Amino acid sequence: MSERSRRSRFDGRVVLVTGAAGGIGLATARAFAGEGASVVLADRDRERVFAASEGIRDHGGEATAATVDVTDPDSVGDMVTAAVDAYGGLHIAVNNAGIPSAIGGAFEDIDVDDWRQLIDTNLTGTFLCMRAEVPALRAAGGTAIVNTASIQSLVAAPGMPAYIASKHGVAGLTKAAALDLIASGIRVNAVAPGFIETPMLTPVIADPGIRSSLESTAPIGRIGSPDEVAQAILFLASDAAAYIVGTLLSVDGGLAVL
């Protein structure tokens, strides 16, 4: 595939990315815009997401922004409407919004409000976005959804049961939706990132000892970048993945095979 054709593989496509103010979401939005898509960046942080969309336009991309609370069905519906109103349709949805978990503590001491916040944002939020996106995606005549799961969708670790439950839920939701929606021409898949250098991980790896430990844990010997996850998302959304349905693509430097 030539460099020119690779850059234009999403020409004419409208892409919605949640959690797009930074990290994997922003890297994904930039990558889609760089390959010809019109991108709607959505996030609960209004200031950062509007600045992010402006940055894409400053570099010649086509982008706009919307604020969203993925736990609120009305807010999610407004986000999808804004995307369709901005560009006349919706072809690809990347449901990336999520929050991290505090690590540690006794299982029986898990705060119920913390549990509900993780589940509501990471799992229910993904469901609400998908439910709102499907009519617009179906109207586009055959499209793709890519969800952001996690290495913690495939394995577990001590001290973070709510996060792990939420991300296992995203994996199951992805597979179930894939079977329900493929007859409408909508392919549903997910990426499962490992240790990625995002704002979510930054406070943890600020400790050189922890960073070194994570780097040595990954068989590849380093922490991944948001751009590397973005490229996996673009692949799953592209025509090159036309026969891939309901899969979790690990982007983890080999963690899943340990």
Side-chain angles (χ1 to χ4, degrees), residues 30-194:
R30 287 171 172 165
F32 272 115
E35 296 200 27
S38 298
V39 186
V40 180
L41 292 78
D43 200 279
R44 63 182 179 181
D45 189 327
R46 178 182 176 83
E47 182 176 348
R48 290 178 63 220
V49 77
F50 274 79
S53 67
E54 183 177 358
I56 289 174
R57 292 194 300 274
D58 288 345
H59 285 83
E62 181 60 48
T64 189
T67 54
V68 66
D69 175 356
V70 298
T71 70
D72 179 354
D74 291 335
S75 179
V76 169
D78 290 344
M79 171 190 69
V80 175
T81 298
V84 173
D85 288 348
Y87 295 119
L90 181 64
H91 302 95
I92 297 165
V94 180
N95 299 307
N96 170 73
I99 58 174
S101 173
I103 300 174
F107 183 90
E108 65 272 20
D109 293 334
I110 296 169
D111 184 84
V112 173
D113 288 337
D114 289 345
W115 169 274
R116 287 175 175 155
Q117 184 182 33
L118 262 293
I119 299 298
D120 286 350
T121 303
N122 295 355
L123 177 54
T124 304
T126 300
F127 160 72
L128 291 175
C129 288
M130 293 175 69
R131 187 182 67 165
E133 293 154 358
V134 163
L137 294 170
R138 185 180 285 123
T143 52
I145 293 173
V146 184
N147 297 324
T148 300
S150 169
I151 185 63
Q152 302 296 348
S153 299
L154 301 167
V155 298
M160 47 194 305
Y163 183 82
I164 291 168
S166 73
K167 289 300 186 176
H168 270 69
V170 170
L173 176 63
T174 296
K175 294 176 183 180
L179 295 179
D180 286 343
L181 296 175
I182 191 57
S184 297
I186 302 171
R187 294 184 304 103
V188 185
N189 292 289
V191 290

